[in-house]
């Protein structure tokens, strides 16, 4: 299962790169499907699981940007949250993941006007600022805050 997950992740990444070159939605859909298969077949302790969630979320954001299907954005937010929850504070991608989550919740706020989305955006951006300053103690206290919820 771990090897299958890795192969699907690699395929999804290559397809997404191809999509970036030619903006073909069929290629993007195939990339999303590959990332879904990777996530479905990955064991819970797979070392690449946070990256799989992040790349899946990025591809869903691209889909939302082109098709404006809110479910794509909802799924992207869930996957960004999962990636953030699995990534240690000291990891160099942590701020990027949470910044991406903030961008996605802000985008959803612009569509939904739900206060929870703007609150999530603000919490995520505060955490990004803390991480950027290297304030590990404060970040550890933030673990129970909004960016780490897995329900969306």
């Amino acid at each position: 299962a771990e090897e299958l997950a890795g192969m699907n992740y690699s395929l999804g990444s290559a397809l997404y790169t191809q999509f970036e070159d030619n903006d073909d939605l069929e290629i993007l859909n195939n990339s999303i499907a590959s990332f879904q298969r990777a996530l479905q077949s990955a064991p819970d302790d797979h070392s690449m699981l946070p990256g799989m969630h992040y790349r899946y979320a990025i591809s869903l954001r691209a889909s939302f940007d082109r098709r404006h299907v809110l479910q794509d954005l909802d799924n992207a937010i869930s996957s960004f949250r999962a990636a953030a929850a699995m990534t240690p504070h000291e990891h160099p991608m942590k701020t990027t993941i949470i910044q991406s989550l903030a961008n996605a919740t802000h985008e959803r706020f612009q569509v939904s006007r739900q206060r929870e989305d703007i609150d999530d955006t603000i919490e995520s951006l505060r955490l990004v600022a803390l991480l950027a300053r290297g304030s590990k103690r404060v970040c550890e206290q933030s673990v129970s805050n909004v960016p780490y919820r897995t329900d969306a």
Side-chain angles (χ1 to χ4, degrees):
E2 191 163 329
E3 188 175 322
L4 179 61
M7 288 187 290
N8 278 306
Y9 174 73
S10 294
L11 177 59
S13 295
L15 287 165
Y16 189 80
T17 299
Q18 185 180 34
F19 160 74
E20 288 179 311
D21 276 351
N22 62 25
D23 210 35
D24 182 332
L25 283 178
E26 185 176 340
I27 294 170
L28 178 60
N29 290 337
N30 289 332
S31 173
I32 291 169
S34 292
F35 286 130
Q36 284 174 322
R37 287 190 302 273
L39 287 166
Q40 289 167 350
S41 60
D44 290 342
D45 62 347
H46 195 291
S47 63
M48 293 175 58
L49 202 53
M52 289 179 190
H53 274 288
Y54 179 72
R55 293 299 302 267
Y56 176 55
I58 292 293
S59 64
L60 287 167
R61 276 299 310 268
S63 180
F64 174 76
D65 290 344
R66 281 148 187 86
R67 298 182 325 172
H68 307 288
V69 175
L70 192 56
Q71 188 63 48
D72 287 339
L73 187 57
D74 292 342
N75 291 341
I77 290 169
S78 293
S79 238
F80 281 134
R81 283 191 173 127
M86 295 174 195
T87 304
H89 288 300
E90 60 278 356
H91 193 282
M93 281 294 294
K94 183 74 168 195
T95 55
T96 300
I97 293 167
I98 296 174
Q99 180 70 56
S100 296
L101 172 61
N103 293 343
T105 56
H106 187 258
E107 177 89 18
R108 190 168 67 183
F109 172 74
Q110 291 176 326
V111 173
S112 72
R113 307 311 282 180
Q114 295 292 316
R115 180 177 171 91
E116 180 180 350
D117 288 327
I118 197 65
D119 290 346
D120 286 359
T121 301
I122 292 166
E123 270 309 305
S124 293
L125 292 172
R126 284 182 177 148
L127 186 53
V128 166
L130 292 171
L131 287 166
R133 288 196 309 254
S135 181
K136 186 175 179 186
R137 182 184 61 77
V138 178
C139 293
E140 287 172 349
Q141 294 171 353
S142 300
V143 168
S144 63
N145 285 348
V146 210
Y148 301 99
R149 285 196 335 254
T150 55
D151 61 323

